[in-house]
Amino acid sequence: MATANLSACNPKSVPDASEMKFGIVVSDWNLDITMALLDGAVKTLKKHGTAEGNIVVKHVPGSFELTLGAQFLAEYDDLDGVICLGCVIQGETPHFTYICQSVTQGITQLNLEYNIPFIFGVLTTENHQQAIDRAGGKHGNKGDEAAVTVIKMAALQREMEK
Ligand code: DLZ
């Protein structure tokens, strides 16, 4: 009887990322939160084998600029994927809605136009505490999740290209 390779079948397992190179574009708005997301993403990429020299980090002023920052990374470097990190907190004006719509659509468009994954690591919260809870707090660190996601998508692309 054939034995199944359980680790290959396990949807939770994370592929080896030692031969991969990633870009991270991070927004400077709500910097305490986005730096925590960045820290989580970098630690997780390294944990799965990505060399520090193969993690290219670029800053942009706000989440609205994440799309173009990610496009610059894809155009000017040879990357397996790009993580976009930001934090948009609801204010008293409709600004929140416009920024969230723009960055969501922008990142979706990049995924369809380039042949590498662009990961949405943007917190969209009602207040600062909800953001803290998701940037290393009681709900984990969404930067970690974004890193796992980019590794999985880059591995999927490599598998399909063979
Ligand atoms: C202007 C603005 C506001 C009000 N709020 C946020 C926010 O919560 N998170 C964020 O990342 N950026 C915010 N920005 C800045 C915009 O993303 C953008 O940088 C400016 O509108 C300039 O294009």
Side-chain angles (χ1 to χ4, degrees):
M1 194 175 81
T3 50
N5 178 347
L6 290 181
S7 81
C9 297
N10 178 0
K12 293 276 184 198
S13 72
V14 181
D16 174 59
S18 56
E19 300 297 318
M20 294 178 181
K21 183 174 183 183
F22 296 110
I24 303 178
V25 57
V26 54
S27 156
D28 288 344
W29 259 78
N30 301 310
L31 193 63
D32 59 327
I33 302 294
T34 60
M35 290 309 286
L37 296 175
L38 176 63
D39 187 50
V42 169
K43 277 189 184 141
T44 301
L45 291 178
K46 285 189 190 167
K47 181 176 146 194
H48 293 287
T50 310
E52 184 147 8
N54 282 338
I55 303 172
V56 183
V57 179
K58 298 291 175 193
H59 287 254
V60 293
S63 291
F64 183 81
E65 284 74 37
L66 284 171
T67 306
L68 186 57
Q71 182 174 301
F72 288 159
L73 276 170
E75 286 282 340
Y76 302 133
D77 214 331
D78 186 22
L79 301 171
D80 291 286
V82 179
I83 298 171
C84 303
L85 298 175
C87 172
V88 194
I89 298 178
Q90 183 116 48
E92 290 175 358
T93 67
H95 222 102
F96 174 87
T97 309
Y98 295 126
I99 295 171
C100 292
Q101 274 174 2
S102 164
V103 70
T104 308
Q105 286 169 7
I107 293 173
T108 302
Q109 207 174 323
L110 290 176
N111 273 286
L112 302 177
E113 285 178 10
Y114 287 81
N115 204 29
I116 57 169
F118 293 82
I119 307 305
F120 185 82
V122 182
L123 297 179
T124 58
T125 63
E126 288 167 7
N127 54 53
H128 194 249
Q129 185 58 49
Q130 287 180 347
I132 291 171
D133 292 345
R134 289 157 180 80
K138 67 180 179 188
H139 292 306
N141 188 323
K142 299 296 168 189
D144 297 358
E145 290 176 23
V148 167
T149 305
V150 81
I151 293 169
K152 286 186 171 178
M153 291 305 292
L156 176 62
Q157 189 196 20
R158 287 181 177 207
E159 183 191 315
M160 301 299 291
E161 263 178 4
K162 280 182 192 161

